């Protein structure tokens, strides 16, 4: 199956309902492992998830990308797949940055940050009512990135200790170039 | 949370104290006997943290048979255990739990740091590592360190034999004497 | 102990005999993180009505080792040793999966011989994982002898893999484009001998365990994960196949050269702990079949490309690559920004989703069943916590 495979029934439904749109940057299955690369506005993600649930898809993964340095946004990545011959749908949901990115004083970034942060929603609706699997994925994202999910039943830290005061996977947290490379420092 | 330390003594001062501390009556033979008994029936705590726990299990299973050395009686409760084998990475979240378990163990007690993670963080050591304790000795005093990632079961057995020698020789940790 | 419902009747077994009237008090029981049956450092907070579980709150993160953060600080090659430590029981599968993912990003061709060796090693690794599960699961529910049997056989696999990879558990055998070392005829002979040996041993396993009345009493109808729950939580692997869905990444989305081998996907219908046991034991047989075919077909040739790349710099983009680990679908999501260091590596680990289903499975069972259920799911905690 390749990226330009036939448009599946579930995708037709989603496109017709204007819940998602095709990602123009998509590169196809052979390169990205995604059969369909889609964009979805935050407010539509729950409706989109419901369509997938009704079509018998399972929630494979939810994760987050910290794109504050280059695009001043957080990006949620959802993948849905079938419990049969693979048909992976990848959805990007863009959110506003959780807090301004702090460039490292020790390293010159060659990223060119967008000057105007686009008007994006602060948080995404939780889809844990549709897919209970999302409960932990969303908690992990909250834990690691500080992204909030509205109407999540139990949004608290998942992996880090409850009293942790940082979000570990933010790009400006715990940078190696900021570390004291003295005793015991192994560097990269 | 840090291991308790005492201020360093001068050599002369230490020698004087050692002389003063010598018992008037010595039960050398009895002490020896008790230590031998302790060394030959070490009961480890059933307690795995990560990858090394599998090798610890392998050491207790059919091929390596830890029972040959009297150390195969894994106890699920800290209150029945003599030796804590740190088998795996110690996360920051796990640290307080380990300290509580250590405190629950009755003295005399010993600790074996198994694998790179419990020595200095091992493969997970990098600048600004936020998730783990880089070494078991940040939490409890360690008697024997076994390098490896993970150490082979033979290495664990060698470590236990080392600990046996240490116990037989009568070495103790300061903390345990007043525990 | 409350009286146990008669084994076998799944619906009836939903603890009708425990009574429906709640007791005036709810007990809270903390199981783990140090508990002999919690497979390392899992912690379950059980809310109990007497012996009956009302609700469960799994607490994870006690083995969080920052794999994903480390990936952002190292180049692609330097992350390689991490992979087998994520799930140390199927370390080979994880290690090779990461290699395959990066190869796909860089469009590196893998020589035929290396592909076959990868399949043999992965399947050996799968069997060793299942054997360890077999041993510890039975240990959890009170049988010590099977543990010793399983470890005896498992040591045979470790010996074979140790000889070529240099490690017993945390393999780092794969390289982008192939493997570190070639195998020799001794390896193939040992593998053949092992296949023969395990085929002879499996009937012993069945005689010892599968028909055992106590074992069946502990497992039959216990901890049912039905298709509905499996779909809702994204449960994969043997737990899913025990619920009657024949989903296996090796078939659904063949990677490497898995499309060249004949093997069945064992399934069961009942979705209980016994079904999961049966599926895993049947999978051992299927893995033996794959190994047998691969050993027979393995060609001569190089194990690395003629001109291996020295620098690994994938173009900017993303990739999701899935494989079937011993516990289910393991996915690697790599985002590259065009540099030598990954922008983000997300590991979609099967135990994470399988364990997440516990709040849907454990309520209305008993504490003793919890041991059998958590044991039968086969979780590896550092894989969940990453």
């Amino acid at each position: 199956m390749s990226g330009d495979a036939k448009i599946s029934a579930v995708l037709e439904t989603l496109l017709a309902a204007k819940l998602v749109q095709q990602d123009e940057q998509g590169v196809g299955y052979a390169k990205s492992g995604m059969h369909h690369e889609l964009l979805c506005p935050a407010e539509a993600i729950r409706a989109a998830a419901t369509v997938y649930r009704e079509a018998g898809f399972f929630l494979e993964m939810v994760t987050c990308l910290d794109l504050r340095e280059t695009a001043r946004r957080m990006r949620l990545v959802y993948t849905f797949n079938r419990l049969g011959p693979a048909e992976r749908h990848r959805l990007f949901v863009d959110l506003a940055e959780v807090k301004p990115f702090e460039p490292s004083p020790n390293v010159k970034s060659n990223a060119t940050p967008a000057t105007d942060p686009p008007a994006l929603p602060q948080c995404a609706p939780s889809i844990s009512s549709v897919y209970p699997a999302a409960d932990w994925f969303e908690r992990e994202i909250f834990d690691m990135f500080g992204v909030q999910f509205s109407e999540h039943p139990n949004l608290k830290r998942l992996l880090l200790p409850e009293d942790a005061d940082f979000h570990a996977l933010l790009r400006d947290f715990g940078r190696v170039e900021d570390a004291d490379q003295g005793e015991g420092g192994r560097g990269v | 949370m840090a291991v308790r330390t005492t201020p360093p003594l001068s050599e002369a001062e230490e020698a004087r104290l050692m002389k003063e501390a010598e018992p008037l009556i010595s039960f050398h033979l009895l002490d020896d006997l008790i230590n031998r008994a302790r060394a030959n029936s070490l009961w480890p705590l059933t307690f795995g943290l990560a990858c090394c726990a599998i090798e610890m299990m392998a050491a207790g299973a059919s091929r390596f048979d830890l029972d040959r050395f009297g150390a195969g009686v894994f106890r699920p409760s800290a209150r029945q255990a003599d030796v804590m084998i740190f088998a795996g990475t110690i996360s920051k979240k796990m640290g307080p739990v380990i300290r509580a378990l250590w405190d629950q163990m009755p003295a005399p007690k010993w600790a074996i740091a198994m694998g790179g993670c419990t020595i200095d963080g091992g493969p997970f050591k990098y600048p600004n590592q936020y998730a783990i304790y880089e070494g078991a000795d940040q939490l409890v005093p360690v008697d024997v360190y076994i390098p490896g990632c993970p150490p082979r079961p033979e290495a664990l057995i060698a470590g236990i034999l080392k600990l046996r020698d240490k116990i037989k020789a009568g070495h103790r940790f300061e903390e345990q004497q007043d525990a | 102990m409350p009286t146990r419902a008669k084994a076998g009747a799944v619906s009836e077994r939903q603890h009708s005999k425990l009574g429906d009237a709640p007791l005036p008090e709810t007990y809270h029981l903390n199981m783990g993180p140090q508990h002999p049956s919690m497979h390392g450092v899992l912690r379950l907070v059980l809310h109990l009505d007497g012996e009956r579980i009302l609700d469960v709150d799994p607490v994870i993160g006690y083995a969080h080792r920052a794999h994903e953060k480390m990936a952002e600080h190292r180049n692609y090659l330097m992350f390689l040793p991490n992979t087998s430590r994520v799930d140390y029981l199927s370390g080979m599968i994880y290690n090779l999966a990461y290699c395959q993912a990066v190869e796909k990003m860089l469009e590196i061709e893998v020589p035929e011989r290396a592909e076959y060796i990868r399949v043999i090693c992965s399947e050996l690794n799968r069997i060793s994982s299942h054997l360890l599960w077999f041993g510890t699961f039975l240990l959890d529910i009170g049988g010590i002898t099977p543990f010793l049997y399983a470890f005896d056989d498992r040591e045979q696999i470790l010996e074979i893999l140790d000889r070529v990879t240099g490690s017993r558990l945390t393999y780092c055998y794969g390289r982008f484009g192939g493997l570190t070392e070639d195998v020799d005829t001794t390896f193939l002979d040992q593998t053949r001998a092992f296949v023969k040996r395990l085929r002879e041993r499996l009937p012993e396993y069945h005689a010892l365990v599968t028909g055992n009345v106590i074992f069946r009493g502990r497992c039959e109808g216990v901890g049912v994960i039905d298709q509905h729950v499996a779909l809702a939580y994204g449960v994969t692997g043997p737990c899913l196949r025990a619920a009657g869905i024949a989903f296996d990444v090796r078939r659904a989305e063949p990677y490497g050269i898995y499309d060249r081998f004949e093997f069945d996907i064992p399934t069961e219908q009942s979705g209980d702990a016994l079904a999961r046991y049966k599926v895993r034991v049947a999978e051992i047989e299927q893995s033996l079949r794959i190994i047998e075919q691969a050993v027979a077909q393995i060609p001569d040739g190089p194990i690395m490309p003629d001109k291996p790349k020295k620098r690994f710099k994938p173009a900017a983009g993303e990739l999701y690559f899935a494989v079937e680990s011993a516990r289910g679908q393991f996915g690697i999501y790599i985002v590259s920004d065009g540099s030598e260091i990954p922008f983000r590596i997300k590991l979609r680990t099967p135990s994470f989703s399988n364990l997440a289903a516990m709040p849907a499975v454990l309520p209305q069972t008993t504490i003793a069943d919890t041991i059998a259920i958590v044991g039968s799911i086969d979780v590896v905690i550092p894989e969940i916590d990453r």
Side-chain angles (χ1 to χ4, degrees):
Chain A
M1 213 186 276
S2 75
D4 13 79
K6 62 175 175 56
I7 298 214
S8 72
V10 62
L11 186 57
E12 251 171 45
T13 319
L14 286 164
L15 289 172
K18 294 211 165 54
L19 293 172
V20 299
Q21 62 187 73
Q22 296 278 8
D23 185 357
E24 301 301 324
Q25 322 254 306
V27 288
Y29 178 72
K31 280 203 157 162
S32 72
M34 315 285 186
H35 297 89
H36 300 290
E37 295 155 300
L38 309 164
L39 303 175
C40 177
E43 63 272 14
I45 185 66
R46 194 178 291 161
T50 312
V51 175
Y52 283 115
R53 181 77 203 264
E54 279 160 9
F57 279 65
F58 75 102
L59 179 66
E60 204 166 46
M61 167 193 88
V62 187
T63 189
C64 183
L65 303 175
D66 174 8
L67 302 178
R68 291 174 303 154
E69 194 177 0
T70 48
R72 301 195 68 173
R73 67 185 66 184
M74 310 298 292
R75 174 170 284 173
L76 298 176
V77 185
Y78 295 75
T79 65
F80 299 91
N81 196 357
R82 262 189 207 287
L83 289 174
E87 184 186 330
R88 185 169 295 114
H89 292 235
R90 182 270 282 151
L91 273 69
F92 279 160
V93 173
D94 283 354
L95 297 178
E97 49 188 348
V98 286
K99 62 179 184 196
F101 185 80
E102 282 175 33
S104 167
N106 299 333
V107 78
K108 250 191 96 181
S109 169
N110 42 14
T112 45
T115 42
D116 268 332
L120 289 164
Q122 289 292 329
C123 65
S126 164
I127 60 164
S128 59
S129 56
V130 185
Y131 280 102
D135 185 336
W136 279 17
F137 283 119
E138 287 170 357
R139 275 177 69 188
E140 187 191 334
I141 292 169
F142 166 70
D143 192 1
M144 291 297 173
F145 293 91
V147 172
Q148 300 276 345
F149 291 88
S150 59
E151 292 166 59
H152 189 285
N154 183 25
L155 196 64
K156 58 182 189 192
R157 286 185 182 272
L158 183 72
L159 298 178
L160 295 175
E162 275 176 35
D163 57 356
D165 55 358
F166 54 87
H167 299 289
L169 281 175
L170 290 178
R171 304 271 311 167
D172 49 359
F173 168 78
R175 275 175 300 212
V176 167
E177 58 263 23
D178 296 348
D180 175 14
Q181 300 264 345
E183 198 206 345
R186 222 180 258 174
V188 283
Chain B
M1 200 72 80
V3 183
R4 205 181 51 181
T5 52
T6 44
L9 294 172
S10 74
E11 241 173 74
E13 180 80 344
E14 199 178 336
R16 192 184 61 79
L17 281 175
M18 288 301 283
K19 189 141 183 70
E20 246 176 46
E22 263 178 29
L24 293 174
I25 307 164
S26 165
F27 292 103
H28 247 295
L29 212 56
L30 186 62
D31 276 351
D32 258 10
L33 197 68
I34 292 173
N35 280 341
R36 252 158 219 285
R38 281 175 179 152
N40 284 307
S41 67
L42 285 170
W43 289 8
L45 179 64
T46 315
F47 175 47
L49 290 167
C51 334
C52 289
I54 306 298
E55 289 298 62
M56 186 167 79
M57 271 158 60
S62 23
R63 178 172 294 189
F64 297 97
D65 193 8
L66 207 50
D67 272 322
R68 290 179 293 163
F69 309 100
V73 193
F74 283 89
R75 307 312 298 174
S77 164
R79 296 183 197 282
Q80 299 170 345
D82 303 314
V83 51
M84 187 184 254
I85 302 177
F86 287 90
T89 324
I90 305 164
S91 70
K92 286 267 162 68
K93 201 168 176 175
M94 196 65 193
V97 180
I98 284 173
R99 191 62 220 190
L101 285 169
W102 177 256
D103 290 342
Q104 283 175 5
M105 279 169 64
K109 53 192 168 184
W110 297 273
I112 295 179
M114 183 185 181
C117 298
T118 56
I119 296 173
D120 74 335
F124 300 101
K125 185 185 176 76
Y126 76 92
N128 284 339
Q129 165 66 284
Y130 64 89
I132 66 165
Y133 281 100
E134 294 181 354
D137 45 17
Q138 295 189 1
L139 294 166
V140 303
V142 174
D143 292 87
V144 176
Y145 295 89
I146 308 170
C149 190
R152 304 174 69 92
E154 295 97 321
L156 177 61
I157 291 171
I160 285 171
L161 293 181
K162 208 76 180 161
L163 181 62
R164 279 205 332 187
D165 293 346
K166 199 170 173 174
I167 296 168
K168 279 185 202 160
H171 295 311
R172 293 265 192 82
F173 267 94
E174 192 189 357
E175 185 177 314
Q176 287 163 7
Q177 283 171 351
D178 52 15
Chain C
M1 264 306 263
T3 354
R4 296 177 68 79
K6 203 168 159 55
V10 179
S11 54
E12 184 191 307
R13 216 194 113 70
Q14 294 303 327
H15 301 272
S16 51
K17 293 201 178 167
L18 296 179
D20 292 328
L23 294 172
E25 278 176 51
T26 303
Y27 295 92
H28 305 282
L29 182 72
N30 193 33
M31 256 176 132
Q34 186 267 336
H35 185 284
S37 295
M38 285 294 120
H39 292 260
V41 289
L42 172 61
R43 176 176 161 208
L44 297 176
V45 181
L46 302 173
H47 306 284
L48 300 165
D49 175 5
E51 173 89 1
R52 188 178 60 179
I53 295 167
L54 298 175
D55 201 3
V56 60
D57 201 359
V59 183
I60 60 172
Y62 288 99
H64 177 58
R65 310 195 269 191
H67 281 289
E68 291 175 9
K69 189 72 181 175
M70 282 171 80
E72 295 175 12
H73 289 315
R74 310 182 155 197
N75 65 32
Y76 285 89
L77 199 57
M78 287 164 88
F79 187 63
L80 208 48
N82 276 64
T83 49
S84 57
R85 285 164 182 82
V86 177
D87 175 357
Y88 40 79
L89 290 184
S90 35
M92 182 71 80
I93 299 173
Y94 274 51
N95 188 245
L96 296 176
Y98 175 67
C99 289
Q100 283 166 309
V102 175
E103 280 154 11
K104 197 169 170 186
M105 281 194 114
L106 290 159
E107 293 168 3
I108 300 175
E109 281 282 314
V110 181
E112 281 278 289
R113 186 174 171 82
E115 290 276 25
Y116 276 92
I117 299 171
R118 281 180 175 189
V119 167
I120 297 170
C121 290
S122 295
E123 294 307 316
L124 282 174
N125 194 209
R126 191 184 313 276
I127 296 173
S128 85
S129 173
H130 282 348
L131 284 176
L132 186 126
W133 168 81
F134 176 86
T136 51
F137 175 51
L138 269 295
L139 199 59
D140 279 348
I141 59 176
I144 294 175
T145 318
F147 173 73
L148 300 173
Y149 273 59
F151 264 70
D152 186 16
D153 283 329
R154 187 172 170 269
E155 288 292 338
Q156 311 286 330
I157 301 179
L158 299 190
E159 201 164 273
I160 296 170
L161 292 179
D162 187 9
R163 212 176 138 268
V164 291
T165 67
S167 44
R168 285 164 49 90
L169 205 64
T170 46
Y171 313 101
C172 192
Y173 189 39
R175 287 294 180 274
F176 304 144
L179 301 162
T180 50
E181 297 285 336
D182 198 357
V183 299
D184 52 9
T185 46
T186 318
F187 170 85
L188 297 176
D189 291 344
Q190 281 179 334
T191 310
R192 271 187 215 107
F194 172 76
V195 172
K196 187 165 172 286
R197 177 195 153 108
L198 194 59
R199 285 242 167 90
E200 284 161 10
R201 292 272 282 191
L202 281 174
E204 278 184 53
Y205 282 28
H206 284 300
L208 187 66
V209 178
T210 314
N212 185 305
V213 144
I214 304 171
F215 169 72
R216 293 187 88 97
R218 288 293 304 268
C219 295
E220 226 161 350
V222 171
V224 176
I225 300 181
D226 59 22
Q227 297 193 357
H228 181 77
V229 171
L231 193 70
Y233 283 92
V235 174
T236 50
C239 301
L240 176 69
R241 295 190 279 273
I245 301 179
F247 175 75
D248 186 317
V249 183
R250 291 174 292 176
R251 203 33 81 64
E253 202 178 355
Y255 55 95
I257 50 164
Y258 272 105
D259 47 356
R260 296 185 199 173
F261 301 109
E262 269 180 36
F263 63 98
D264 300 329
I265 302 175
T267 52
E268 290 285 329
Q269 295 305 318
S270 54
D272 55 0
L274 184 68
R276 291 191 278 277
Y277 165 87
K278 284 184 182 165
V279 164
R280 284 204 184 86
V281 175
E283 269 180 31
I284 293 179
E285 288 171 36
Q286 296 306 319
S287 289
L288 289 176
R289 260 178 87 188
I290 298 175
I291 293 171
E292 214 168 36
Q293 294 169 51
V295 169
Q297 295 169 16
I298 187 168
D300 285 334
I303 52 149
M304 282 294 275
D306 292 338
K307 284 183 193 153
K309 283 194 185 193
K310 291 275 186 291
R311 294 169 78 82
F312 303 102
K313 222 173 162 180
E318 51 162 1
L319 171 78
Y320 188 94
F321 188 82
V323 301
E324 183 75 21
S325 91
R327 267 152 285 279
Q329 194 215 55
F330 167 55
I332 306 181
Y333 181 63
I334 305 179
V335 179
S336 163
D337 57 358
S339 72
E340 285 188 338
I341 296 171
F343 181 80
R344 170 125 170 82
I345 291 184
K346 156 82 185 167
L347 305 168
R348 187 266 183 213
T349 51
S351 294
F352 183 89
S353 300
N354 295 358
L355 186 75
M358 283 302 99
V361 177
L362 286 179
Q364 300 308 316
T365 63
T366 60
I367 299 174
D369 284 344
T370 309
I371 307 293
I373 296 168
V374 174
S376 71
I377 303 283
D378 190 14
V379 288
V380 170
I381 306 301
E383 176 208 15
I384 297 168
D385 296 345
R386 301 182 302 276

